[in-house]
Amino acid sequence: MTNLTDINVPGPTTIPLTEPFWDAAAEGRFILQLCGGCQQHVFYPREICPHCWSGDLHWVPASGQGTLKSFTIVHRPGHPGWMAVTPYTVGLVALAEGPTMLSHILGDAPQVGQAVGFAPTNIGGRVLPCFRIITSQTTPKGDLA
Amino acid sequence: MSLARSKAAIVGVGELAPIRRTVGESTLGMLARCAALALTDSGLEKAEIDGLLVGPQVGETPQHVPATMAEYLGLMPTMSNVVDLGGASGLGMIWRAAAAIEAGMCEAVLCVIGNHRNSDAPRSPNRNPIREFDVPFGASGANVAYALLKQAHMAQYGSTDADFALIAHWARANAQLTPEAIFYGQPASVDEILASPMIAAPLHKFEIVMPVAGAEAVIVTSAKRAKDRGMTAVHLLGAGEKITHRAVSQAPDLTSGPLKPSMARAFAQSGTRVQDMSLLSLYDCYTVMVATTLEDSGICPPGGFGAFMRDHDFGPAGRYPMNSNGGQLGFGQPDLAGGMVHVVDAVHQLRGTATGRQIQGAELALVTGNGATMSEAVALVLGADV
Ligand SMILES: [Zn+2]
């Protein structure tokens, strides 16, 4: 069975604005932009706040906690590089801070509404901000293999 | 009745039969053939076409699309533009054509959209947020987005796989009345749909459109010109449009979409209700899109599409004929021209030329278009020339 670390898939197309988000995830930290104008969190990173158009956005540590808003178990991926690790789960994570983020979901038997936690995981040689389903037996932990 | 409320008249349509693969075609060439069919159908002269609306042509003509198309066709339009609303593009063209005519910019608008499917067809090179924040997690392509939407509906309302499969079943059933449809000769039962391969759970293969090459063209002119010239017309009575997001993660709601306000506006403009429609021509890239559109239209309550599907006949003789040419699930999805497939079928029904699948006495049609991840919506109410 192929490990997520070993697949050859497209990584993030970063720009200077978004690099702090990816760099933090690679170091095991989850951060979001917070708007100084309206005090709402923003995802994905932007130059102005989509709620109030303030340019006063700054990076803050985020909880890494959320709930699974929806998910899909992918059998036929849109990119061939993912074929080796099928089936795998992609989900929408409603972050505790407000925004929704799409991510790779680790853990078995996902259900809509379940709690998930930040789980930095090596995909194709880069550590990305994935999420793991939290059950009573598990504490969220990354797979940094 | 329709004439007094008409915003514009559709006086010609053209369609290239869907085909799985093309060899050595150009999109420009296919669009030109399709435009010629629509012109012949309308009875207008080429020199009378003074407006041109086209879709994006990924790869072949990234920029200057209207000028390239106009030059190819030997047109010198006084109004032209690209309409880039994904699967809603074709519908977005229709009301924009009416608005341009009303503004005095032109009198007859060619709306044309389609794509080849040569083996060397380029993929779109994205460097935008959906590429940066979705693709790296294994979420390339539309299947993942619509699987997330279907799962959300099932979780919120308890809708079942069999409920969704009924939508694909009716699409295949109506495709048996349409010899050009890609699934002509291939009906599918609910069990067969549920037995088709799992692509992205809970989405089965037969709940997803088949990509095809094809092209669709529509010519729009003023109701007055159509009447003065004695042309066979179908009237635009109402329209609505709404764009809410691009990536599925940014959707404000997973079980109701921008078609809801779009349809409400189209009904209000036309003074109609969904129950008045002779035809529901609903954008059906995936089964879940039809489910959500039915609920957003008000024809059934939120979460109620399954019972609605079980209780009605959606063929041409039924109470609610839906996607009478098979829709895209039965006819095939000619790329961004998918929405225009629904327009052209509605035009045939409303002028009584839907050979082999004609709805008796068809007077009103709701046509919907949807783009990206339930993001871009256009709804039209079309009426017969009565
Ligand atoms: Zn703000």
Side-chain angles (χ1 to χ4, degrees):
Chain A
M1 194 178 126
T2 309
N3 196 292
L4 278 173
T5 310
D6 301 326
I7 58 177
N8 184 17
V9 293
T13 50
T14 65
I15 57 174
L17 171 77
T18 63
E19 271 159 15
F21 175 78
W22 299 108
D23 289 349
E27 295 163 8
R29 295 180 294 116
F30 189 65
I31 62 173
L32 291 172
Q33 282 181 316
L34 179 65
C35 175
C38 69
Q39 302 303 318
Q40 296 188 73
H41 289 83
V42 171
F43 184 84
Y44 49 87
R46 289 164 164 93
E47 295 212 27
I48 67 166
C49 169
H51 307 292
C52 73
W53 284 21
S54 165
D56 180 20
L57 291 168
H58 49 279
W59 293 105
V60 294
S63 68
Q65 302 298 305
T67 56
L68 199 56
K69 215 160 122 178
S70 191
F71 67 92
T72 173
I73 299 168
V74 181
H75 295 259
R76 306 283 178 91
H79 188 283
W82 281 92
M83 200 65 213
V85 291
T86 54
Y88 63 87
T89 304
V90 167
L92 295 177
V93 178
L95 300 168
E97 287 78 6
T100 296
M101 174 183 170
L102 183 144
S103 189
H104 194 84
I105 307 297
L106 305 163
D108 294 330
Q111 298 287 327
V112 170
Q114 262 176 324
V116 293
F118 175 58
T121 300
N122 190 321
I123 296 178
R126 303 168 205 89
V127 176
L128 300 183
C130 300
F131 284 76
R132 183 180 294 280
I133 294 162
I134 300 172
T135 63
S136 48
Q137 283 82 36
T138 64
T139 37
K141 189 161 70 73
D143 175 14
L144 288 158
Chain B
M1 161 190 97
S2 286
L3 189 57
R5 303 190 328 229
S6 178
K7 294 172 180 295
I10 294 172
V11 293
V13 294
E15 180 170 86
L16 300 189
I19 179 173
R20 190 76 180 103
R21 299 278 171 207
T22 53
V23 178
E25 288 272 23
S26 70
T27 290
L28 278 174
M30 291 176 61
L31 295 180
R33 293 205 303 275
C34 193
L37 292 174
L39 187 73
T40 302
D41 183 59
S42 73
L44 288 166
E45 300 294 326
K46 168 179 168 270
E48 294 179 276
I49 301 293
D50 57 0
L52 176 65
L53 294 175
V54 292
Q57 295 169 30
V58 177
E60 187 172 304
T61 305
Q63 289 173 299
H64 307 292
V65 189
T68 305
M69 189 78 243
E71 177 191 273
Y72 197 99
L73 290 167
L75 295 175
M76 297 188 183
T78 56
M79 185 287 295
S80 68
N81 216 329
V82 174
V83 179
D84 182 4
L85 294 171
S89 300
L91 284 78
M93 290 176 186
I94 305 295
W95 79 255
R96 283 172 173 77
I101 293 165
E102 177 65 25
M105 300 305 293
C106 52
E107 289 189 65
V109 182
L110 168 64
C111 306
V112 64
I113 187 164
N115 262 105
H116 72 66
R117 271 180 67 82
N118 298 348
S119 58
D120 60 349
R123 295 179 67 120
S124 72
N126 267 12
R127 281 194 73 84
N128 57 18
I130 204 168
R131 166 67 186 83
E132 178 170 357
F133 293 98
D134 287 3
V135 170
F137 297 105
S140 298
N143 291 341
V144 164
Y146 285 87
L148 291 167
L149 296 176
K150 181 181 172 186
Q151 186 85 261
H153 195 285
M154 295 170 82
Q156 182 166 345
Y157 294 117
S159 48
T160 67
D161 266 328
D163 294 339
F164 288 96
L166 259 179
I167 292 166
H169 164 70
W170 274 107
R172 290 290 192 98
N174 285 346
Q176 305 319 305
L177 310 173
T178 310
E180 299 80 20
I182 207 83
F183 285 112
Y184 182 69
Q186 296 175 66
S189 67
V190 165
D191 286 345
E192 286 168 327
I193 289 153
L194 295 180
S196 67
M198 197 61 94
I199 303 299
L203 264 187
H204 303 81
K205 185 173 184 176
F206 290 175
E207 297 182 85
I208 304 173
V209 286
M210 173 82 85
V212 296
E216 308 281 328
V218 172
I219 294 174
V220 179
T221 191
S222 65
K224 181 177 185 307
R225 177 183 281 201
K227 183 166 190 288
D228 291 348
R229 295 276 293 269
M231 308 177 96
T232 305
V234 165
H235 297 279
L236 175 64
L237 304 180
E241 179 169 306
K242 180 96 171 175
I243 292 91
T244 48
H245 63 281
R246 167 65 185 92
V248 67
S249 66
Q250 307 292 305
D253 192 332
L254 297 179
T255 56
S256 174
L259 267 172
K260 184 171 183 174
S262 303
M263 290 186 285
R265 179 174 292 211
F267 291 136
Q269 285 189 1
S270 58
T272 62
R273 306 168 309 154
V274 66
Q275 291 83 0
D276 300 331
M277 298 297 133
S278 317
L279 170 67
L280 301 173
S281 195
L282 308 184
Y283 194 91
D284 61 343
C285 47
Y286 297 84
T287 51
V288 64
M289 196 59 223
V290 175
T292 305
T293 303
L294 286 170
E295 295 173 5
D296 277 348
S297 78
I299 207 165
C300 61
F305 87 88
F308 181 76
M309 290 300 301
R310 285 191 295 276
D311 289 349
H312 294 93
D313 177 330
F314 297 93
R319 168 65 184 90
Y320 289 113
M322 183 164 74
N323 293 343
S324 62
N325 65 351
Q328 297 175 76
L329 284 167
F331 184 84
Q333 178 173 66
D335 203 69
L336 296 172
M340 206 65 121
V341 169
H342 296 270
V343 174
V344 170
D345 188 42
V347 168
H348 281 302
Q349 288 292 358
L350 294 172
R351 64 188 200 186
T353 53
T355 311
R357 59 177 191 276
Q358 183 62 47
I359 299 162
Q360 294 311 309
E363 282 191 22
L364 289 168
L366 169 67
V367 190
T368 63
N370 163 68
T373 58
M374 199 162 77
S375 321
E376 304 155 318
V378 181
L380 306 175
V381 172
L382 303 180
D385 195 22
V386 293

